[in-house]
Structures are given as C-alpha cells and as structure tokens.
C-alpha cells in the first residue's frame, strides 16, 4: 500500500502558487484577494475557513474573513454577497457551507458572480463543468483529480464507485471522473442511501471514493485487492486522548483497508489539504478570467 499524501501534494501546489504570485508582483500585477464568509460558530467550518486564510498567507494572496452570527438574516447575507460581487478589490470569494436552516443555500450560491465563484458551486460553473467548458471546478472534486494526476494514478477505463451523492462532492465528482479527460474516462457508479447491493458494487471497484460522512463505513471486506481508495470523510468524533477532545475520522476503516489496497488517502492529510489547494488554484485563475 502507498499513501496518497494530500498534505505533501498540496504543499507542492502551494509552492508553485507562491512563485506565481511573486511573478505577478514583479510584473506589477495585482495580488489575488480571496474573501471567505463564515456564518456561526461550527467548529469544523471554522477550522476549514481558518486553514483557507492561512493558505492565502503562505502563498502571498490577500485574504479577508467576514463573520456573522447564526442569527444573520438571508437578506443581510445576500447583501454581503452583492457587495463582494461589486468590490473590485475582491477577486474570488466563498460562503462556507452549511448555512443555518433559515437561509436558502441555493439562493446564496446563485447570487455569487460566477466569475468570482471560486468554489465552483454556481449553476453556471456546474453546467460548464458538465459540458467540459472552461470554468471554476468545485474544490474537493478538483483536488481529488489533481491528487490522482500528480501521483500518476491511472483512471482511464477503470471502474469507479463513488459513495455519496452530495452536490459539492459525489455528484460533480462522478461527472468529472466520467468525462473524456485525464484524469477521467472512468466508468462511474454513483451510489447512495437507496443503492441495492452496495457492498457488492464497491467490492468490484478499481477506484473507490467514499464521501458519505459516516466514519469507518468502508471496511476491508468491501475492497478489492489493489483498489485505489480516496476518503473524503471528515467527521469529528470524541477522543479523550486529544487536547481538543475530538479527532477527525474518515469514511474508511483505514488500518484494515490499507492492507488490501494499492493507494489510500489518510484522514487528516489526504483530501482536505487538496480541497484548499484547489481553492487557491481557482483564486489565481479568477485573475485571468476577469482579465486582471
Ligand atoms: N463545506 C464543506 N466543503 C466546502 C467547500 O469546499 N466550500 C464551502 N464553501 N463550504 C464547504
């Protein structure tokens, strides 16, 4: 088994981006500015957003963090989205999900200017992704493809089973892996809570993408010898041995699955850092798209 080390791969990308920012500076071009909007105090979301801001600092991007209480109204949030759309200093921005129940996530993501939608969640970007047109690709699926590519994982003609059909991971990733591209050209099965014989389907896969948010869901008996396993799960579970009182757990029982597969992503240090790296790639690209 070999580790698909997202942390190391993301570090390589960050270094490339840092050099690109230096280059822009020496050409007298604008430094990319990413803004992140965070609503509430969810520990997981706060950790991710802080990691995004830290990545900006490392690369040399400007960044802004805009925080609201859980009680923020949909109108207030939409007003901020419009303000960021019209602020020429801001090159790309994200609204961290999930949002509180009283706010319509779709309404908020649809309000973002597609040319600043560095998360790639706007229907225009998702539609362009389906058609293989230039666009912002959603960060987690794009990060997974980049991880496979940079680690020379062959995808062409492979049978891939994606577990979980979320709008931000499973559904777009199933399309991206099936497209005529590299990585891509997989035969993809998108599985979910209503899938029959899930275990049997997963156990036939050359590539398994686990993205359902159920810690330890994928066990060794579900994995074919030599499969490639990508774990998107990041659930916080109580852990008294940690200072924080919790540990991040993936959707895969790492120890037993690692013995059977050819490649596997760890949690943490696998997909998470790659999501952030993709967001940074998208932020740099936003400069080209907007002619900056
Ligand atoms: N929540 C979980 N993943 C993501 C992500 O990639 N972007 C945003 N905005 N929210 C998320």
């Amino acid at each position: 088994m070999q580790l698909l080390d997202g942390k190391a791969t993301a570090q390589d990308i960050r270094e490339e981006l840092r050099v690109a920012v230096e280059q822009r500076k020496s050409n007298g071009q604008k430094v990319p500015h990413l803004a992140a909007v965070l609503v509430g105090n969810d520990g997981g979301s706060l950790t991710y957003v802080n990691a995004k801001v830290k990545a900006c600092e490392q690369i040399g991007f400007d960044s802004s963090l805009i925080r609201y209480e859980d009680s923020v109204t949909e109108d207030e949030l939409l007003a901020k989205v419009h303000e960021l759309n019209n602020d020429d200093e801001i090159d790309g921005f994200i609204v961290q999900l999930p949002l509180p129940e009283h706010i319509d996530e779709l309404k908020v993501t649809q309000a973002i200017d597609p040319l600043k939608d560095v998360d790639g969640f706007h229907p225009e970007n998702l539609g362009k992704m389906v058609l293989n047109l230039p666009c912002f690709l959603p960060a987690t699926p794009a990060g997974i493809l980049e991880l496979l590519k940079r680690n020379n994982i062959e995808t062409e003609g492979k049978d891939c089973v994606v577990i979980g059909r979320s709008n931000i991971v499973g559904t777009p990733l199933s399309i991206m892996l099936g497209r005529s591209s590299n990585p891509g050209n997989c035969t993809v099965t998108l599985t979910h809570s209503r899938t029959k014989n899930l275990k049997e389907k997963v156990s036939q896969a050359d590539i398994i993408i686990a993205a359902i948010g159920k810690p330890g869901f994928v066990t060794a008996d579900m994995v074919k010898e030599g499969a490639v396993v990508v774990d998107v799960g990041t659930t916080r579970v109580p852990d008294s041995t940690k200072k924080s009182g919790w540990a991040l757990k993936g959707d895969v029982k790492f120890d037993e699955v690692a013995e059977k597969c050819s490649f596997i992503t760890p949690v943490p240090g696998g997909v998470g850092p790659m999501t952030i790296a993709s967001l940074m790639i998208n932020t740099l690209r936003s400069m080209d798209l907007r002619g900056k």
Side-chain angles (χ1 to χ4, degrees):
M1 176 280 291
Q2 266 181 277
L3 213 55
L4 277 174
D5 188 341
K7 198 171 165 190
T9 306
Q11 188 51 45
D12 292 346
I13 295 171
R14 285 220 278 258
E15 180 55 21
E16 291 164 19
L17 292 170
R18 198 188 59 75
V19 170
V21 170
E22 284 300 321
Q23 190 71 50
R24 287 187 69 87
K25 276 189 189 162
S26 61
N27 294 343
Q29 291 171 291
K30 184 180 182 301
V31 167
H33 189 153
L34 174 73
V37 179
L38 175 64
V39 178
N41 294 297
D42 173 72
S45 292
L46 188 58
T47 307
Y48 294 132
V49 169
N50 283 337
K52 289 169 186 177
V53 170
K54 196 167 146 217
C56 285
E57 282 165 11
Q58 270 189 11
I59 294 166
F61 290 177
D62 289 328
S63 64
S64 302
L65 173 57
I66 300 147
R67 293 194 65 175
Y68 289 101
E69 294 296 327
D70 264 321
S71 56
V72 69
T73 65
E74 191 176 274
D75 283 347
E76 281 173 295
L77 198 56
L78 287 170
K80 178 51 83 175
V81 167
H82 291 304
E83 185 189 315
L84 293 168
N85 283 343
N86 293 319
D87 184 345
D88 218 28
E89 165 57 24
I90 302 296
D91 301 297
F93 67 99
I94 64 159
V95 178
Q96 187 69 22
L97 304 180
L99 292 170
E101 287 214 339
H102 65 276
I103 298 177
D104 182 346
E105 281 186 1
L106 196 60
K107 214 166 165 181
V108 173
T109 46
Q110 287 196 28
I112 297 174
D113 178 347
L115 291 176
K116 292 191 177 186
D117 169 39
V118 284
D119 254 334
F121 292 170
H122 189 283
E124 186 173 316
N125 281 313
L126 285 171
K128 285 181 170 172
M129 177 274 285
V130 174
L131 297 171
N132 227 347
L133 297 171
C135 64
F136 291 121
L137 295 172
T140 300
I144 292 169
L145 293 197
E146 195 67 25
L147 185 64
L148 297 176
K149 188 173 179 176
R150 288 181 182 242
N151 289 278
N152 302 312
I153 306 290
E154 183 62 70
T155 58
E156 180 149 335
K158 302 290 182 189
D159 290 325
C160 175
V161 170
V162 178
I163 313 172
R165 57 180 160 187
S166 73
N167 285 343
I168 61 177
V169 185
T171 296
L173 187 56
S174 68
I175 295 165
M176 288 160 74
L177 282 165
R179 294 190 309 184
S180 175
S181 58
N182 180 30
N185 284 319
C186 288
T187 304
V188 182
T189 305
L190 179 60
T191 65
H192 44 76
S193 56
R194 307 294 167 92
T195 297
K196 280 192 224 153
N197 305 324
L198 179 88
K199 223 172 202 180
E200 190 188 315
K201 289 186 169 74
V202 176
S203 65
Q204 287 166 10
D206 302 311
I207 300 172
I208 300 167
I209 314 277
I212 40 162
K214 289 191 179 161
F217 182 84
V218 176
T219 47
D221 57 331
M222 295 165 77
V223 177
K224 185 168 81 173
E225 209 52 69
V228 174
V229 179
V230 175
D231 189 349
V232 188
T234 49
T235 308
R236 282 183 168 193
V237 297
D239 184 340
S240 56
T241 68
K242 303 266 184 211
K243 213 167 69 187
S244 60
W246 52 266
L248 270 193
K249 279 272 173 262
D251 290 346
V252 177
K253 279 225 168 94
F254 184 90
D255 291 342
E256 58 179 65
V257 170
E259 285 180 19
K260 276 182 100 176
C261 62
S262 57
F263 291 90
I264 186 166
T265 59
V267 176
V271 173
M274 291 303 297
T275 297
I276 295 173
S278 305
L279 179 66
M280 301 297 131
I281 291 172
N282 280 352
T283 304
L284 182 63
R285 265 200 81 218
S286 73
M287 309 303 286
D288 291 336
L289 287 177
R290 291 167 47 258
K292 290 270 164 173

